[in-house]
Amino acid sequence: MNVSKIFTGALLGIGLLATTTGVRATDAASIERGKYLYDAADCYSCHSGPRGGAKNNAATSGKLKLPSGGLGLDTPFGTFRSPNITPDKQYGIGAWSQAEFKTSLRSGIGREGEYLFPVFPYTSFTKLTDRDMEDLYAYFMSLPAVPLPNKPHEAKPPFNWRPLLIFWRTLFFTPGTIKAEPARGDVWNRGNYLVHAVAHCEECHTPRNFLGGLDLGRSFSGNIGGPDRQNAPNITSDVKTGIGSWSIADIENLLKTGMTPDSDLIGSGMRAVVQGTSKLTDADRYAMALYLKSIPPIHVDLPPPKLAAQSK
């Protein structure tokens, strides 16, 4: 018996086991981080599946609701249908590589090289870090696959012609991550990242021009007739028409419970957003609130936040 060979083989076996266990642990941690981001970004509310019947059962795994697509988003340019983003290889994103997934988020370009319609907020998701994109990919690929075909968009010509998006992208899309501002501190920078890149608050709370581009000179000042023709309120620090009179604790409480300082419960699309922000850590909700309080005031003639709320 060659003791040396046995000893060497045992060491190799232990090393392989440790490596494999480490990879699995890393994958599990990545999936967990991805779920956190998935909830924070409120992916399900846009990518929720059809309601009713067997299709609804197929889009649900126990208590887990799956992003099987089909929901219509009404815009001035027509109705856009959210795609199936479960890991189904035929109808979802199961055949997508991690690199292709990241390209869709960073550049707004699909697996076949097609321009994605900006109803998918890649204009915000482009700001995500590579690691967060990788964690999101890990979480999506861990979900049960739902074999539901995508529904076609019902956009009006010429807004349904993808090649024309090259002009829109030239005018309104700047890819890249957020640059940190060290002088502002770590908490403010974390809030800036969560508000812009993850929760993509600007997409609903900023007015758009006639081509659907964000009016960044009036960021967060509200949007009349926003997604699904809902009015998104001014959330700048303007006291009269924004949330300037709210404390940081007020904003934190809204993000956790959906309750305004006037003890009203928010309604419409924001209710779904709070389902995501309620799952954030207290530290991340505080960071978001701190950042939102720092937004310069913009006075606009929009309904104040209370009018967008649903009374108890």
Side-chain angles (χ1 to χ4, degrees):
M1 179 182 294
N2 191 322
V3 177
S4 177
K5 286 185 178 180
I6 293 175
F7 182 68
T8 302
L11 286 178
L12 289 173
I14 292 170
L16 179 60
L17 177 62
T19 301
T20 304
T21 304
V23 169
R24 288 176 180 170
T26 300
D27 288 347
S30 181
I31 290 169
E32 185 177 354
R33 291 192 302 268
K35 184 183 186 307
Y36 184 82
L37 293 162
Y38 174 90
D39 289 335
D42 190 32
C43 300
Y44 176 74
S45 70
C46 282
H47 289 274
S48 56
R51 274 85 167 156
K55 288 184 177 180
N56 188 56
N57 293 333
T60 305
S61 177
K63 293 183 179 180
L64 178 64
K65 297 178 180 179
L66 301 172
S68 56
L71 191 67
L73 185 66
D74 189 22
T75 76
F77 312 106
T79 300
F80 292 85
R81 299 283 176 183
S82 62
N84 182 342
I85 54 173
T86 71
D88 184 77
K89 292 187 180 296
Q90 182 176 1
Y91 299 116
I93 60 171
W96 289 43
S97 68
Q98 185 188 86
E100 290 166 341
F101 178 80
K102 290 169 71 175
T103 296
S104 72
L105 295 173
R106 181 80 72 213
S107 304
I109 295 176
R111 188 170 183 241
E112 304 300 325
E114 75 280 15
Y115 293 134
L116 300 178
F117 291 109
V119 68
F120 168 58
Y122 62 83
T123 47
S124 291
F125 291 153
T126 187
K127 300 177 177 69
L128 290 168
T129 64
D130 282 337
R131 176 175 175 175
D132 280 354
M133 290 184 182
E134 290 159 9
D135 291 339
L136 274 169
Y137 178 81
Y139 177 68
F140 278 120
M141 293 304 160
S142 76
L143 294 173
V146 179
L148 288 180
N150 290 311
K151 293 185 176 182
H153 297 307
E154 300 163 25
K156 306 169 186 176
F159 303 108
N160 59 343
W161 300 344
R162 289 183 189 268
L164 292 181
L165 286 171
I166 189 170
F167 300 107
W168 190 95
R169 293 164 61 90
T170 300
L171 292 170
F172 306 119
F173 177 49
T174 303
T177 56
I178 292 177
K179 292 183 179 179
E181 298 183 35
R184 295 276 200 164
D186 292 341
V187 177
W188 184 93
N189 278 286
R190 175 65 174 169
N192 181 22
Y193 178 75
L194 289 168
V195 166
H196 283 98
V198 181
H200 53 283
C201 307
E202 229 173 1
E203 299 286 343
C204 287
H205 288 276
T206 297
R208 294 178 181 270
N209 58 34
F210 72 100
L211 290 176
L214 291 172
D215 182 354
L216 297 178
R218 295 189 291 161
S219 289
F220 302 107
S221 65
N223 185 13
I224 293 294
D228 274 346
R229 304 190 186 279
Q230 297 174 4
N231 296 338
N234 182 349
I235 56 171
T236 72
S237 56
D238 183 70
V239 173
K240 291 186 177 180
T241 64
I243 59 173
S245 63
W246 293 24
S247 67
I248 289 178
D250 289 336
I251 301 173
E252 288 180 273
N253 187 56
L254 178 105
L255 295 174
K256 184 174 184 178
T257 68
M259 184 173 290
T260 71
D262 295 327
S263 298
D264 287 336
L265 290 175
I266 55 167
S268 64
M270 189 62 190
R271 193 183 327 178
V273 172
V274 168
Q275 289 177 3
T277 56
S278 66
K279 297 175 183 177
L280 293 173
T281 62
D282 289 342
D284 275 350
R285 276 192 298 270
Y286 176 80
M288 288 182 70
L290 179 72
Y291 175 79
L292 289 170
K293 280 294 289 182
S294 76
I295 296 173
I298 300 177
H299 186 94
V300 290
D301 293 325
L302 287 176
K306 183 177 180 180
L307 297 184
Q310 173 180 305
S311 297
K312 292 192 296 182

